[in-house]
Amino acid sequence: MKHYYPFILTLLLCSFTACKENEPKPSSKASDPVTATPKIEEVSLLDRCINAHGGIQQWKSFISLAYNLEEKGRTVYQLTHLKDRRAYLKSKDFEVGFDGKTAWAKPDASHIPGNSPAFYYNLDFYFFGMPFLLEDPGVITSDEGTSVVGGKTYETLKVTFGPEVGLTPEDVYYLYIDPETFRLEILTYSVSYFNKEDAQINTAKVYSGYHEVQGLLMPSQLENYAWKDGNLGENKQHTRLFSDIRFLDQIPDDSVFKVPQGAVTEKIVQD
């Protein structure tokens, strides 16, 4: 056996080398896997704000919103259908509504802002429903970066509207959002309903008294301030207080939206 040992060893080495050469070579595509960085979807400032207020799905889960609004010593009950925006408002002096096509006031429009049911029927609801209503079709939002108001830094959201949106698509809003809580704190706006050529941003609303209502964060107070050169001016002594806020799964009485006999009307949606 000793005589054949070198030959056997050589044969084994050749066999091992042949096996190694016949093994499939790893493809360059099958090299050590590199863990791909997951794509992180950017969350918009509007989404952050809406989520901080309870989320759009929670808002959309309800049929209507009702509350009592107190301003200048007067209390107005306001009911709005969240799906089609029909509305009904009632105080001791007037009733105002919107049936889906026509805004109306009874007995007349002399006791309501602007003397116009078309202007007034959703005026408070629109500001109160921020930021959720910015998910409506035709609303255009853009992140404008940071702004400093009264020494505090805010994230700023600009809001404009498509040409066929509402009665005043020329309006412009700016939302000033707390960068830590993402709650809406200040909203500035122009009013072009009465004068489209000279609609300037000279008023701000300050939101406060937030509390949870059925999973949504809603303000209990809006105060009007003058707005000039990016800063809050004097308090205009016009405070709106919201109470008995409730979201409803159904409309208690659908007939309240209908135009009553003898009401003053303004057509909004043409047949």
Side-chain angles (χ1 to χ4, degrees), residues 14-235:
C14 290
S15 299
F16 178 76
T17 303
C19 289
K20 291 292 289 182
E21 289 177 349
N22 291 331
E23 284 182 6
K25 295 182 180 180
S27 169
S28 59
K29 294 183 180 179
S31 57
D32 292 340
V34 177
T35 303
T37 303
K39 184 178 180 180
I40 301 176
E41 293 186 8
E42 184 177 350
V43 180
S44 69
L45 178 57
L46 175 59
D47 286 340
R48 289 178 185 272
C49 184
I50 288 177
N51 291 339
H53 285 254
I56 194 63
Q57 294 308 316
Q58 184 70 2
W59 171 268
K60 289 182 176 181
S61 70
F62 298 107
I63 297 298
S64 62
L65 170 61
Y67 49 83
N68 289 325
L69 168 63
E70 182 180 341
E71 61 171 332
K72 297 181 178 180
R74 178 177 65 192
T75 300
V76 183
Y77 168 74
Q78 300 192 5
L79 170 70
T80 302
H81 195 301
L82 296 179
K83 306 304 181 184
D84 58 29
R85 304 295 164 80
R86 286 177 296 164
Y88 175 70
L89 296 74
K90 179 178 176 60
S91 78
K92 64 181 181 62
D93 299 317
F94 61 78
E95 291 178 85
V96 170
F98 174 60
D99 69 354
K101 292 184 176 181
T102 302
W104 55 267
K106 185 179 179 181
D108 55 49
S110 62
H111 293 287
I112 62 178
N115 296 326
S116 166
F119 173 74
Y120 179 64
Y121 82 88
N122 67 350
L123 177 65
D124 295 303
F125 165 76
Y126 206 81
F127 290 117
F128 186 60
M130 291 288 178
F132 304 104
L133 300 184
L134 299 182
E135 286 283 1
D136 284 358
V139 178
I140 304 165
T141 61
S142 60
D143 184 347
E144 297 295 301
T146 59
S147 301
V148 178
V149 180
K152 179 175 178 177
T153 300
Y154 292 93
E155 297 290 340
T156 314
L157 188 71
K158 182 180 180 180
V159 180
T160 56
F161 302 89
E164 303 299 324
V165 177
L167 297 177
T168 55
E170 298 84 3
D171 286 352
V172 178
Y173 298 166
Y174 285 89
L175 279 64
Y176 295 86
I177 298 166
D178 185 288
E180 295 183 359
T181 65
F182 287 99
R183 293 181 184 179
L184 170 60
E185 291 194 359
I186 302 172
L187 184 150
T188 63
Y189 59 98
S190 64
V191 177
S192 61
Y193 186 86
F194 300 104
N195 188 343
K196 298 186 188 309
E197 303 302 323
D198 189 29
Q200 300 180 10
I201 297 178
N202 53 27
T203 301
K205 292 186 183 298
V206 174
Y207 289 65
S208 62
Y210 277 112
H211 61 290
E212 186 176 318
V213 179
Q214 296 164 261
L216 295 168
L217 202 63
M218 304 301 293
S220 59
Q221 179 170 296
L222 271 65
E223 287 184 280
N224 278 22
Y225 284 79
W227 180 263
K228 186 176 182 180
D229 299 327
N231 287 291
L232 290 172
E234 63 178 5
N235 190 318

